[in-house]
Amino acid sequence: MADRKWKVCLIGSGNWGSAISKIVGNNVTKSAEFDDDVPMWVFEEMVDGRKLTEVINTDHENVKYLPGVKLPANVRAVPELVDAVKDATILVFVLPHQFVKKVCSTISGHIAPGAMAISLIKGVDESKGGLELTSTVISRELGLDVSVLMGANIASEVANEQFCETTIGCRSDTMGPVLKRLFETAYFRVELTHDVHTVELCGAIKNVVACAAGFADGLGYGSNTKAAIIRIGMMEMVRFARMFYEGVRDVTFFHSCGVADLITTCYGGRNRRVCEALVTQGKSIEELETEMLGGQKLQGPPTALEVNKLLAEKGQVDAFPLFRNVHRICYEKAAPSTILTGL
């Protein structure tokens, strides 16, 4: 891209997307290698009688998904997806994973030559072979090289500039430093690795462990039990990654995408909160998603389902007792009290 600037487009504008837009919007103005204009695709909806895009572009605040945080004026809300990606050469995917295929279908054929993508989506997709990483879906659907960004990054804390770290998995020695300059700030430290699959797998599977932590919290267990669940969960994550992917590097699990994200999710994430409520309130996950998440879906239970399918095909379900127990509680009506069985 020596002959022209990188143009960044944010595909998604929820809680995490808006927090990241603050970082990206500020960083592109600090380097001549980036275009200052940052289009952000916003799913249009009405908020207090006004279009959300109008609110963001006028007040520079996403009042619905990240209230109280001012966004840079160069972040431009765009309601039409194809218009948003026009001429963009770095596509930042930061939307719920269940919408990825539809988004890719919409923008296919409208992407600038030489473009690349980076996924900030912590989730997996279902395929005939079982679990499929979101970056794989984007790459296949659009024919792009896809990097990933994962870490212990609670959106509200990042938006309020509380120090944290994140991990970017990027196979290219050229693009890695570009992405680091795009996302890194004094409060948002970026580590680079070539181990893309492990980075992304950590971001998805840690939600299964978070469900286990939530069940334990609901049952009234203390810090010792929580620590044991985190340790056992981490070991199952490592073994699962080694079983299904080549080239896994153990050191990646010690990056922010690994142990740090796991700890944060097991103490403060939505999967933990909803699974705790399942125990204390006796309601179904579907009911709690409606009540606590406004209908948004958890990633932990469906990931546990896909993980269990893959392990069953290899006859290895009982070799991963924590993953097995979460699956049984979520889908086979096992009692939450069985979460420690066989550990």
Side-chain angles (χ1 to χ4, degrees), residues 149-166:
L149 182 153
M150 307 281 159
N153 307 139
I154 294 176
S156 59
E157 295 182 13
V158 174
N160 288 320
E161 302 186 8
Q162 296 180 25
F163 178 77
C164 67
E165 297 177 306
T166 199

Side-chain angles (χ1 to χ4, degrees), residues 90-238:
I90 297 180
L91 302 176
V92 181
F93 283 81
V94 56
L95 71 163
H97 89 282
Q98 61 265 34
F99 301 122
V100 168
K101 285 186 177 179
K102 183 177 180 181
V103 164
C104 288
S105 176
T106 300
I107 64 177
S108 180
H110 300 278
I111 298 173
M116 61 84 62
I118 181 167
S119 172
L120 280 61
I121 302 169
K122 294 178 179 179
V124 293
D125 197 58
E126 296 181 27
S127 69
K128 293 180 180 179
L131 179 149
E132 187 173 43
L133 299 175
T134 301
S135 66
T136 303
V137 175
I138 297 171
S139 180
R140 183 185 65 243
E141 297 293 321
L142 299 177
L144 300 177
D145 181 55
V146 184
S147 299
V148 297
L149 182 153
M150 307 281 159
N153 307 139
I154 294 176
S156 59
E157 295 182 13
V158 174
N160 288 320
E161 302 186 8
Q162 296 180 25
F163 178 77
C164 67
E165 297 177 306
T166 199
T167 309
I168 290 179
C170 179
R171 298 177 183 88
S172 168
D173 289 331
T174 301
M175 280 308 303
V178 173
L179 293 173
K180 183 179 176 75
R181 291 190 292 273
L182 178 62
F183 289 102
E184 187 165 66
T185 70
Y187 62 87
F188 194 67
R189 178 184 293 166
V190 173
E191 298 175 300
L192 292 174
T193 177
H194 292 128
D195 194 4
V196 177
H197 282 159
T198 306
V199 172
E200 189 171 9
L201 198 62
C202 284
I205 296 185
K206 52 95 180 184
N207 288 320
V208 179
V209 185
C211 289
F215 295 140
D217 286 342
L219 292 164
Y221 291 118
S223 298
N224 290 345
T225 304
K226 175 79 73 75
I229 286 173
I230 291 172
R231 190 198 70 80
I232 293 168
M234 174 59 75
M235 294 310 298
E236 292 194 10
M237 287 169 59
V238 172

Side-chain angles (χ1 to χ4, degrees), residues 52 55-57 59-64 66-71:
L52 183 55
V55 174
I56 294 173
N57 289 333
D59 302 340
H60 306 297
E61 178 182 352
N62 190 333
V63 295
K64 181 165 185 180
L66 194 65
V69 176
K70 287 296 181 182
L71 305 181

Side-chain angles (χ1 to χ4, degrees), residues 7-25 37-44 52-53 55-57 60-63 65-66 69 71-72 74-86 88 90 92 94:
K7 185 171 180 60
V8 184
C9 170
L10 296 162
I11 302 176
S13 57
N15 187 235
W16 185 215
S18 296
I20 280 295
S21 79
K22 178 181 175 182
I23 289 176
V24 170
D37 178 54
V38 180
M40 176 173 70
W41 176 58
V42 176
F43 181 79
E44 193 69 280
L52 183 55
T53 53
V55 174
I56 294 173
N57 289 333
H60 306 297
E61 178 182 352
N62 190 333
V63 295
Y65 296 109
L66 194 65
V69 176
L71 305 181
N74 59 319
V75 173
R76 179 169 52 88
V78 181
E80 296 297 331
L81 182 54
V82 172
D83 292 341
V85 303
K86 181 179 173 57
I90 297 180
V92 181
V94 56

